[in-house]
Amino acid sequence: LPTIASFMAIHTGLLPHPNRAVATHFAQATLPSLPVSLGKLGYQRHFFTAADPSWDHQLFWLNRWYDTVTYDRTRETDAALFAHLASWFHTELDRSRPFFITAMTRSNHFPFHRIDGVETTGGDSLPERMTDTMRYTDAAMAKLLTDLSEAGLLDNTVVIITGDHGFPFGEHGITKLWATAHVESAGVPLVLWGNHPALRRRGRGLIDTIASHIDIA
């Protein structure tokens, strides 16, 4: 916690520093990273985001790690982000090379505004708004994955879905994100999905051991 710590851990496979913001305090360090390692193996690397990547010094690292970084203020909703990504896959992806693509969403994030396209299913409390924005993000992502799957663009591909952090709603008397390490704040989903042979060999199901952002890299 907060977002920038998970951003660095996901990309580097390193635990966050206990009292330093790695993204800013270690800007001169050469850190290992998943996209750079894949780039050395011939992967094309592209980052798409619905949130301004200059926040918290992210852009400095993204320019080191990826071939391109795509952000457009007119595409800050998840539906717009995923629609653009679907179009990009069809028109600009180099299909002769393996790819590592990252998409960072924004709509399902505090304060969970019900933007255009978000269905209202309950009241206006934070938990109810979170539920509705989560449904919206899920639907937008499902539309993208269905499109890519039908086009054969997910063959031999692993899709990894995770979050940056959770959010407490007072379960332990705490409503501030970084005031607790309870699972409500720190717990995130980690889903590996796709038609890659390695996933097919492993089989489907739930692995109930503790996982972490650092396991992705």
Side-chain angles (χ1 to χ4, degrees), residues 26-80:
F26 296 96
Q28 301 307 314
T30 300
L31 301 178
S33 77
L34 177 57
V36 170
S37 296
L38 293 175
K40 293 177 181 178
L41 297 174
Y43 279 66
Q44 52 191 309
R45 301 156 297 158
H46 304 281
F47 187 91
F48 296 82
T49 180
D52 189 340
S54 61
W55 186 261
D56 275 346
H57 214 50
Q58 291 179 40
L59 190 59
F60 172 84
W61 294 97
L62 292 172
N63 286 331
R64 283 186 176 187
W65 294 337
Y66 289 89
D67 300 321
T68 63
V69 178
T70 300
Y71 164 69
D72 189 319
R73 289 189 182 276
T74 67
R75 295 193 295 265
E76 289 191 329
T77 67
D78 292 352

Side-chain angles (χ1 to χ4, degrees), residues 154 156-160 192-196 198-199:
L154 293 186
N156 300 315
T157 299
V158 176
V159 177
I160 301 173
L192 279 69
W193 177 86
N195 199 34
H196 192 281
L199 291 180

Side-chain angles (χ1 to χ4, degrees), residues 136-148:
Y136 167 85
T137 297
D138 280 351
M141 181 166 56
K143 187 174 181 180
L144 168 69
L145 295 179
T146 298
D147 176 273
L148 299 183

Side-chain angles (χ1 to χ4, degrees), residues 21 40 45 56 82 91 93 99 102 109 125 129-130 154 156 165 170 179 189 203-204 209 214:
K40 293 177 181 178
R45 301 156 297 158
D56 275 346
F82 286 130
T91 61
L93 176 70
F99 57 84
T102 301
H109 199 280
S125 67
R129 296 205 307 269
M130 176 193 270
L154 293 186
N156 300 315
H165 52 72
R204 301 180 183 274
T209 54
I214 64 172

Side-chain angles (χ1 to χ4, degrees), residues 114-126:
R114 289 192 180 103
I115 57 174
D116 289 343
V118 176
E119 179 185 3
T120 299
T121 63
D124 198 46
S125 67
L126 274 178

Side-chain angles (χ1 to χ4, degrees), residues 156-177:
N156 300 315
T157 299
V158 176
V159 177
I160 301 173
I161 303 167
T162 191
D164 51 356
H165 52 72
F167 198 88
F169 289 129
E171 293 87 350
H172 305 278
I174 297 169
T175 56
K176 295 181 179 179
L177 178 62

